[in-house]
Amino acid sequence: MLENTFDELLKWVVSSDRRQILMESMRGRDIVKAADVAHETWRSTQNISRAMKELEGRGLMECLTPEKSTWKKYILTDVGERVLAKMEEMNF
């Protein structure tokens, strides 16, 4: 994870619709794929894939299938879980 405080990560997530939508889509789920989130949220798969890569780069998500080029599966890290919990607490 980059040198970010928890509050900075939270602000970074909610400052982008695609990141916020992706985090919200993780509620009640353990694993997500970009195509599934895109379909459910009326976003493009590329838009959601980009958000996944952004969150992965900040240590909020982890790819379970990095060897695949498509249909990758992602989970939230412990930090990602904490950010999601804080978003829920703040009614995002």
Side-chain angles (χ1 to χ4, degrees), residues 34-53:
D36 294 341
V37 174
H39 178 74
E40 294 164 8
T41 61
W42 298 87
R43 292 286 181 135
S44 71
T45 302
Q46 295 90 340
N47 187 265
I48 298 301
S49 292
R50 183 176 195 169
M52 288 176 158
K53 289 175 185 170

Side-chain angles (χ1 to χ4, degrees), residues 6 10 15 21 36 42-43 46 48 52 55 60 66 80 87:
F6 181 79
L10 178 62
S15 71
I21 287 168
D36 294 341
W42 298 87
R43 292 286 181 135
Q46 295 90 340
I48 298 301
M52 288 176 158
L55 292 174
L60 300 171
M87 287 174 65

Side-chain angles (χ1 to χ4, degrees), residues 50-90:
R50 183 176 195 169
M52 288 176 158
K53 289 175 185 170
E54 291 171 344
L55 292 174
E56 184 179 29
R58 296 281 179 117
L60 300 171
M61 292 193 101
E62 178 182 351
C63 182
L64 298 176
T65 55
E67 71 285 351
K68 294 180 80 175
S69 59
T70 59
W71 297 97
K72 291 184 177 189
K73 296 179 182 181
Y74 286 82
I75 61 169
L76 287 178
T77 63
D78 290 340
V79 174
E81 293 280 356
R82 286 181 47 222
V83 168
L84 180 58
K86 188 65 173 181
M87 287 174 65
E88 290 172 347
E89 181 183 311
M90 298 174 72

